[in-house]
Amino acid sequence: MKNDPVVAIVGVTGAVGAEFIATMDRRNFRINRLKALASARSAGRSLNYGGKPVLIEELTERSFEGVDIALFSAGSGISRQYAPIAVRSGAVVIDNSSAFRMDPNVPLVIPEINANRIRDHKGIIANPNCAAITALVPLWPIHQNNRIKRVIISTYQAASGAGAAAMDELVQSTRANLHGQVFTQKVMPHPYAFNLFSHNTAVDPETGYNDEETKVIKETRKIFEDEAIAIGVTCVRVPVLRAHCESITFECEKPITEDQVRRILATAPGVRIVDDRANNYFPMPVDASGQDDVLVGRIRKDLSDPSGHSIAMFVAADQLLKGAALNAVQIAELLPERVMA
Ligand SMILES: NC(=O)c1ccc[n+]([C@@H]2O[C@H](COP(=O)([O-])OP(=O)(O)OC[C@H]3O[C@@H](n4cnc5c(N)ncnc54)[C@H](OP(=O)(O)O)[C@@H]3O)[C@@H](O)[C@H]2O)c1
């Protein structure tokens, strides 16, 4: 409708871009018009939105004229270059990259946790890292109830977190492996089929932590507004096509039982408990794929802490949805600018 916003998607042909389109459609996000933006490689192709074809245009400095909301998902370099241009053109930017996440002037938002920060925006709102979102959606309601002093996270991250080309490489290399053919990887730094490796972001030679791990640590403190929370993270890429898993162990200020955690999570927004001990059925990527909720299971006392302050659990979430496109669309739904005057 005329009063609905004009929405631009930057990186519309990517793994996240495709989910922006599907999520907006599924949630009946009303728009006046969609501007589908990608690189020159994709310009001239078309995609479908709301049953109508939309032409994909090359991203340029003039792409944001008349745009009200711009969803960015084309990497940090593109966000750094074009998000300020979009803001100057009058658009509100919701950015999926890491470019602005730690900027003190940019709200870093998970709507289930800090939707109130959206109104502080000065043109850009950042979507957090997908491994951070996956952990924080279930940890937040516990933290509010009984402050988490310390958390240790080990991730099992899918190919989809590295984009469409990484997903393709996992499929192609698995096929080649099964046929006894040699496969030379181009996207990932190591063989991906029937293998796993430390996360493919740069490793700080001093600390030994990679960028993904550092993002989870810094972003957790910013989102929880708790600089004192102690966090240890190990990020690993596993040969799963879609949806991240994480093993999470946390220590609270006061004693906590697994029943208390179950009760808190039973009504937590964005969380679904999948914790069937009798059938050994717990969160799995195949069940999390295509789902909005973070699946949480294996909720149990951490036996390494006899004081009763610590709980271990295992989670799975579709990081293309809650870790990226869904979280961004949820933010867009809450924007006061969504309904134009
Ligand atoms: N995958 C995830 O789960 C996830 C989660 C959270 C955040 N993110 C972030 O989202 C961003 C995109 O991730 P992705 O997984 O969707 O990657 P992807 O599948 O590789 O897609 C990249 C997108 O960026 C576009 N692009 C590349 N260079 C461009 C240029 N010069 N001008 C305009 N568009 C350009 C591509 O267009 P062409 O097709 O035309 O090349 C494509 O649409 C990254 O910043 C990533 O860190 C991803």
Side-chain angles (χ1 to χ4, degrees), residues 126-202:
N127 216 47
N129 167 276
C130 52
I133 295 179
T134 300
L136 301 189
V137 168
L139 287 178
W140 174 248
I142 298 162
H143 187 66
Q144 278 183 302
N145 206 274
N146 183 352
R147 182 175 171 271
I148 294 171
K149 288 198 312 191
R150 178 169 182 248
V151 59
I152 296 170
I153 301 170
S154 299
T155 72
Y156 306 69
Q157 294 183 235
S160 52
M167 295 171 81
D168 192 51
E169 184 159 292
L170 176 57
V171 172
Q172 299 303 334
S173 61
T174 304
R175 192 171 289 143
N177 224 284
L178 289 171
H179 288 91
Q181 295 159 351
V182 176
F183 184 91
T184 310
Q185 67 273 0
K186 297 189 193 74
V187 182
M188 288 303 195
H190 306 292
Y192 206 177
F194 306 105
N195 191 26
L196 56 80
F197 46 86
S198 188
H199 195 275
N200 50 298
T201 42

Side-chain angles (χ1 to χ4, degrees), residues 91-259:
V92 179
V93 168
I94 302 171
D95 183 32
N96 252 289
S97 81
S98 58
F100 304 103
R101 287 181 190 149
M102 295 313 296
D103 183 329
N105 289 315
V106 173
L108 182 61
V109 174
I110 300 174
E112 289 83 351
I113 299 177
N114 59 350
N116 58 323
R117 288 281 163 226
I118 293 173
R119 63 170 180 258
D120 301 338
H121 82 78
K122 296 176 177 60
I124 301 176
I125 299 164
N127 216 47
N129 167 276
C130 52
I133 295 179
T134 300
L136 301 189
V137 168
L139 287 178
W140 174 248
I142 298 162
H143 187 66
Q144 278 183 302
N145 206 274
N146 183 352
R147 182 175 171 271
I148 294 171
K149 288 198 312 191
R150 178 169 182 248
V151 59
I152 296 170
I153 301 170
S154 299
T155 72
Y156 306 69
Q157 294 183 235
S160 52
M167 295 171 81
D168 192 51
E169 184 159 292
L170 176 57
V171 172
Q172 299 303 334
S173 61
T174 304
R175 192 171 289 143
N177 224 284
L178 289 171
H179 288 91
Q181 295 159 351
V182 176
F183 184 91
T184 310
Q185 67 273 0
K186 297 189 193 74
V187 182
M188 288 303 195
H190 306 292
Y192 206 177
F194 306 105
N195 191 26
L196 56 80
F197 46 86
S198 188
H199 195 275
N200 50 298
T201 42
V203 183
D204 182 326
E206 293 286 314
T207 64
Y209 280 81
N210 62 46
D211 275 352
E212 185 83 348
E213 293 161 351
T214 308
K215 284 175 195 169
V216 174
I217 294 168
K218 289 184 174 167
E219 293 180 27
T220 298
R221 292 184 175 138
K222 178 167 176 176
I223 295 163
F224 277 16
E225 297 181 26
D226 185 343
E227 283 301 314
I229 187 168
I231 313 169
V233 191
T234 302
C235 289
V236 172
R237 197 67 83 176
V238 297
V240 164
L241 211 49
R242 179 168 175 156
H244 291 350
C245 288
E246 297 179 6
S247 163
I248 303 174
T249 301
F250 59 88
E251 181 187 353
C252 292
E253 272 183 352
K254 295 178 285 183
I256 188 160
T257 66
E258 59 178 60
D259 284 345

Side-chain angles (χ1 to χ4, degrees), residues 243-311:
H244 291 350
C245 288
E246 297 179 6
S247 163
I248 303 174
T249 301
F250 59 88
E251 181 187 353
C252 292
E253 272 183 352
K254 295 178 285 183
I256 188 160
T257 66
E258 59 178 60
D259 284 345
Q260 285 171 331
V261 171
R262 268 199 203 91
R263 268 201 300 278
I264 293 166
L265 293 181
T267 54
V271 171
R272 179 149 59 88
I273 296 177
V274 178
D275 204 14
D276 181 354
R277 289 179 183 174
N279 293 300
N280 196 350
Y281 204 111
F282 301 111
M284 290 186 276
V286 287
D287 288 339
S289 291
Q291 301 296 311
D292 289 352
D293 289 335
V294 178
L295 311 185
V296 184
R298 304 223 62 204
I299 301 165
R300 62 210 192 279
K301 182 178 177 177
D302 170 18
L303 296 178
S304 74
D305 177 9
S307 77
H309 288 64
S310 301
I311 294 287

